[in-house]
Amino acid sequence: MTFPSATSVRLQEDPLRRGETASAVAGGLRHSLVVRVTHWISAIACFALLFSGAGIVTAHPRFYWGEVGTLKDPPAFTLPVPSSRKLVPTRYGFVLPDYNGGFRKLHFEAAWALVLTGLVYASTSLWTGHFKRDLFPERQHTNWRALREAVLKGFARARADGSGSESYNAAQRFAYLTVIFVLAPLLVWTGLALSPAFDAAFPAGVAALGGRQTARTLHLLVSGSLLVFVVGHIAMVILAGFKDRMRAMITGRAPRSAKRI
Amino acid sequence: MTPSSDHLARISRRRLLTTGVAAAAGLGGLTVASRLAQRYGLMPPDHRGILGVGETLTYAAQRLLANHSLAREFPRGMISKTPYANRVKPAAKLFKNTPASVLADWQLTVTGMVAHPGTYSLSDIKRLPFRSQITEVACEEGWSFIAEWIGTPLAEFLQEVGISPRARYVVYASLDPDWWDSVDMADALHPQTLLTWGMNDGDLPVAFGGPLRMRISRQLGYKSVKYVDRLVVTDTLKGFGKGLGSVQPEHGYTWYAGI
């Protein structure tokens, strides 16, 4: 039994109603100004965080569970990368140039930018109903078929007739909700647990994670999930029509010409 | 068409106005905030430059919200069996030209805004009330270990030498000519900031900074300078090195390492 999804039926049968049923924001914009500005600041901050984080890791690419761990302790795992420090044994015959100080400054600066931007995004989204309207799944999104269709076929159709371009599809909702409400809070939490001054002020934060080294290892693993999202997100944007999607995220306007034939 | 474009024009005019007002208010707010931060000691000495913003936010936030918090202390059973001493500069090389008597009779010279400047021997320091604490050392590289640290709280020593109420920083320097740092009074007078001379029930080994090491418990390991032999109590960090409060910013690191 295959039925067209509720969204596509609704969108296709009455184009005139599309604006009032599924538009992301009033005025026919796909993305509101706040969403666009916070998206790009977050994008730059995420790139800076992943880049500087990768650099910081090379100072000690060994990871441990629990509270402590040094070169004298067996690691839980070691990343197969060269190190920026002479004393760290690696399989490589060379030592990377050491820019750890600069990487760290960039990392914390980008973290502040991302957290402050995230607070602006979250508070305005609660205020305007962006979360409720565009992110929390509606009934037609909460099944595997909708998810699979969104990933496999949704982009081809979005390209052909523009349907679904006013709101997020099931796969997008799932991915964005995971990043906003799971990965980002986990990254902030595990990151703060690596701050000796923050641990002094809120010891329960690092204790609940199971210790400083566990927090560091989790911070790496969650960053890996974020990297997977970023790669998938960019791939999907390219598949769905790079120019149209970029234009929508920059100007806010979804492509409308010749899409309703 | 006309009503809608008129509507748009009105919206964009209003938006332009509010954006302008918001931008002006934001700039004004930033200026006021930075003046206030300077005045209340919330600006790190190396706050300049675009990457100084993050450090300033971290330092100001932590000084405002958690000035007096205590670093975590651990049960004796969690003391690391394998503590690790990073060989920043191998102690053997550093001490090669140092007479054995310097190590045996370690001295700490205090100058600056104190009532009793002078040179204090390690036994002078050990006569003051001391403290033992089991805390974690976390290196900026990522590794960490737990040890028992025994020493004289810097606050006790500063009280002994009589610091001026105008003092804002304590600068401390190593026998290693390329290692010196400073802390504000919040960390200098913090009960867990120790002039450390013992570790795990014994003397502080040379590899871990003995005979005398500054332990700053709420900051990363690099603030805990080894082989400390000079203290300066001051109200300004200008004139110390490049005026950035520490040798670390000269190597790309931040002065404040509470992160």
Side-chain angles (χ1 to χ4, degrees), chain A residues 2-3 145 147-159:
Chain A
T2 53
F3 291 100
R145 205 172 61 75
L147 207 61
R148 200 186 60 214
E149 187 179 276
V151 175
L152 296 181
K153 294 191 285 181
F155 295 100
R157 192 173 56 238
R159 220 169 170 175

Side-chain angles (χ1 to χ4, degrees), chain B residues 9-105:
Chain B
R10 243 185 301 137
I11 280 196
S12 65
R13 208 176 303 136
R14 191 192 301 152
R15 182 169 280 177
L16 198 70
L17 202 69
T18 46
T19 311
V21 169
L27 274 179
L30 275 180
T31 315
V32 171
S34 89
R35 289 258 170 85
L36 280 175
Q38 285 280 23
R39 184 156 166 196
Y40 290 101
L42 299 175
M43 293 284 242
D46 57 338
H47 65 269
R48 287 188 198 287
I50 192 155
L51 289 182
V53 178
E55 183 198 4
T56 305
L57 286 171
T58 304
Y59 178 60
Q62 291 181 359
R63 281 295 170 260
L64 284 173
L65 300 175
N67 216 2
H68 303 293
S69 59
L70 290 175
R72 291 181 299 155
E73 298 197 19
F74 298 89
R76 192 155 284 275
M78 283 185 76
I79 291 175
S80 301
K81 306 283 183 294
T82 50
Y84 176 69
N86 212 12
R87 285 184 296 148
V88 174
K89 185 172 285 186
K93 198 173 158 193
L94 180 65
F95 289 119
K96 203 172 67 182
N97 300 320
T98 307
S101 60
V102 170
L103 273 177
D105 304 310

Side-chain angles (χ1 to χ4, degrees), chain A residues 60 67-73 85 87 100-101 104-105 108-109 112 194-197 200-201 206 212-213 216, chain B residues 50-51 53-54 57-58 62 66 70 72 82-84 87 136 138 140-144 218 220 252-253 258-259:
Chain A
H60 194 85
E67 185 62 52
V68 296
T70 73
L71 282 181
K72 287 187 170 181
D73 301 309
R85 300 292 159 104
L87 296 175
N100 211 27
R104 296 178 65 81
K105 284 185 187 169
F108 303 135
E109 182 127 322
W112 270 107
L194 298 177
S195 152
V206 63
R212 178 183 180 78
Q213 292 300 329
R216 178 171 179 261
Chain B
I50 192 155
L51 289 182
V53 178
L57 286 171
T58 304
Q62 291 181 359
L70 290 175
R72 291 181 299 155
T82 50
Y84 176 69
R87 285 184 296 148
E136 187 167 5
E140 48 86 24
E141 291 179 351
W143 50 267
S144 62
R218 295 185 299 177
L220 291 174
Y253 287 85
I259 48 173

Side-chain angles (χ1 to χ4, degrees), chain B:
Chain B
M1 272 297 147
T2 319
S4 114
S5 58
D6 186 42
H7 178 66
L8 270 178
R10 243 185 301 137
I11 280 196
S12 65
R13 208 176 303 136
R14 191 192 301 152
R15 182 169 280 177
L16 198 70
L17 202 69
T18 46
T19 311
V21 169
L27 274 179
L30 275 180
T31 315
V32 171
S34 89
R35 289 258 170 85
L36 280 175
Q38 285 280 23
R39 184 156 166 196
Y40 290 101
L42 299 175
M43 293 284 242
D46 57 338
H47 65 269
R48 287 188 198 287
I50 192 155
L51 289 182
V53 178
E55 183 198 4
T56 305
L57 286 171
T58 304
Y59 178 60
Q62 291 181 359
R63 281 295 170 260
L64 284 173
L65 300 175
N67 216 2
H68 303 293
S69 59
L70 290 175
R72 291 181 299 155
E73 298 197 19
F74 298 89
R76 192 155 284 275
M78 283 185 76
I79 291 175
S80 301
K81 306 283 183 294
T82 50
Y84 176 69
N86 212 12
R87 285 184 296 148
V88 174
K89 185 172 285 186
K93 198 173 158 193
L94 180 65
F95 289 119
K96 203 172 67 182
N97 300 320
T98 307
S101 60
V102 170
L103 273 177
D105 304 310
W106 194 262
Q107 291 181 323
L108 181 66
T109 303
V110 187
T111 54
M113 305 171 81
V114 293
H116 313 291
T119 298
Y120 295 79
S121 73
L122 193 53
S123 46
D124 292 335
I125 295 168
K126 284 183 177 176
R127 265 199 293 275
L128 297 170
F130 66 92
R131 178 188 165 105
S132 147
Q133 64 200 27
I134 299 169
T135 54
E136 187 167 5
V137 177
C139 178
E140 48 86 24
E141 291 179 351
W143 50 267
S144 62
F145 69 87
I146 293 172
E148 179 191 28
W149 305 97
I150 307 150
T152 305
L154 181 60
E156 295 282 354
F157 184 73
L158 292 177
Q159 199 185 352
E160 184 73 10
V161 297
I163 55 167
S164 157
R166 289 190 296 121
R168 291 186 58 197
Y169 302 98
V170 174
V171 180
Y172 46 100
S174 170
L175 182 74
D176 178 345
D178 195 33
W179 202 2
W180 64 275
D181 217 308
S182 69
V183 286
D184 61 7
M185 297 318 285
D187 266 330
L189 300 176
H190 189 269
Q192 289 170 316
T193 295
L194 297 189
L195 284 166
T196 311
W197 37 260
M199 178 182 172
N200 295 345
D201 273 337
D203 285 341
L204 182 63
V206 168
F208 290 92
L212 193 63
R213 178 181 196 180
M214 186 70 81
R215 278 283 301 134
I216 309 292
S217 299
R218 295 185 299 177
Q219 298 201 39
L220 291 174
Y222 67 73
K223 293 293 280 190
S224 292
V225 170
K226 294 171 176 176
Y227 327 122
V228 169
D229 63 358
R230 279 158 293 155
L231 289 187
V232 187
V233 179
T234 177
D235 62 348
T236 176
L237 292 167
K238 290 196 181 91
F240 294 93
K242 292 182 180 168
L244 301 174
S246 160
V247 75
Q248 302 298 344
E250 297 172 18
H251 299 310
Y253 287 85
T254 52
W255 170 79
Y256 184 63
I259 48 173

Side-chain angles (χ1 to χ4, degrees), chain A residues 160-214:
Chain A
D161 66 5
S163 73
S165 67
E166 280 81 11
S167 193
Y168 302 141
N169 64 40
Q172 285 175 301
R173 285 173 197 241
F174 170 75
Y176 302 162
L177 280 174
T178 306
V179 169
I180 294 166
F181 291 104
V182 181
L183 299 191
L186 272 178
L187 282 168
V188 172
W189 180 13
T190 54
L192 281 174
L194 298 177
S195 152
F198 186 86
D199 288 347
F202 301 100
V206 63
L209 289 169
R212 178 183 180 78
Q213 292 300 329
T214 299

